[in-house]
Amino acid sequence: MAEGILLIISGPSGVGKGTVCRYLLTVREALKLSISTTTRSPRPGEEEGKEYNFTTTPQFEAMIKDGSFLEWAVVHDHYYGTRHETVQELLGQGKDLILEIDIQGAEQVRERVPEAVSIFLAPPSMADLEQRITGRGTEERDRINSRLETARREMDAYHAYDYLVINDTVENAAGLISAIIDAERCKVSRGARPPGRGGENK
Ligand code: 5GP
């Protein structure tokens, strides 16, 4: 079985990565979302093992030491990381896998997995992004300010990515990402073969 495609999706805080990724999962059956490990506390409605694996700082640091992570980073004062095990298991089953991770993590994955496909999700305008961050209403003022500052800085990272997708509507952004996955699947360099040359004959 062909290995799945490893997709990195990053973008500034508040751009709507989570919404776009969740929508994508409903329209592409073979697509899975990697569950990260984090030391931040669950937000209302978040469940252990669903949005994240929630853990403590000492436990996370022990996992760094024993080499459990494909990548990890500190984002807004908390640890976040992707475990090797999660990635290997799902790609090995032929599933395409989304890593919804920050720009530091994306850099590490690009280095370690050169065939990973990286997508930068950007807002239609900076005013739109600021409104989304301010309007989320789940955080205190200084958290919001820190997110705004990080978001503006994160926008500069787009040039290191393979693709840029504007999140004007969830459907449009997900449609473009879906087209990127289809195009990657057609790549000869990724193992696409015609019938009689190793391709499936349906
Ligand atoms: P939140 O706490 O709002 O869910 O996520 C905060 C930030 O952490 C987002 O930019 C998200 O993409 C990033 N993030 C989530 N999981 C991971 C991960 O496993 N690794 C890295 N490097 N960043 C992550």
Side-chain angles (χ1 to χ4, degrees), residues 11 13 17 36-37 40 43 46 52 71-73 75-76 80-82 100-102 104-106 136 147 154:
S13 172
K17 287 165 290 193
S36 298
T37 304
R40 85 147 161 76
R43 296 197 183 111
E46 287 184 338
Y52 286 101
E71 63 74 34
W72 64 271
V75 187
H76 310 302
Y80 291 83
T82 307
E100 196 237 287
I101 58 178
D102 89 314
Q104 308 166 74
R136 183 145 68 179
R147 276 182 191 268
E154 283 170 336

Side-chain angles (χ1 to χ4, degrees), residues 170-191:
V170 174
E171 290 80 3
N172 284 349
L176 285 171
I177 295 171
S178 205
I180 291 168
I181 301 172
D182 289 336
E184 289 291 330
R185 283 225 165 267
C186 295
K187 272 190 175 166
V188 173
S189 60
R190 232 180 228 291

Side-chain angles (χ1 to χ4, degrees), residues 7 35 40 49 62 64 77 82 93 113 133 182 186 199 201:
L7 291 156
I35 307 293
R40 85 147 161 76
I64 296 175
D77 304 328
T82 307
Q93 291 169 7
V113 190
I133 293 175
D182 289 336
C186 295
N201 235 332

Side-chain angles (χ1 to χ4, degrees), residues 66-79:
D66 70 23
S68 297
F69 293 113
L70 167 63
E71 63 74 34
W72 64 271
V74 175
V75 187
H76 310 302
D77 304 328
H78 296 291
Y79 283 119

Side-chain angles (χ1 to χ4, degrees), residues 140-158:
E140 303 145 19
R141 192 67 239 173
D142 36 336
R143 279 259 151 211
I144 290 176
N145 284 339
S146 141
R147 276 182 191 268
L148 279 171
E149 210 183 290
T150 312
R152 290 186 200 108
R153 201 166 4 97
E154 283 170 336
M155 285 296 289
D156 294 330
Y158 79 92

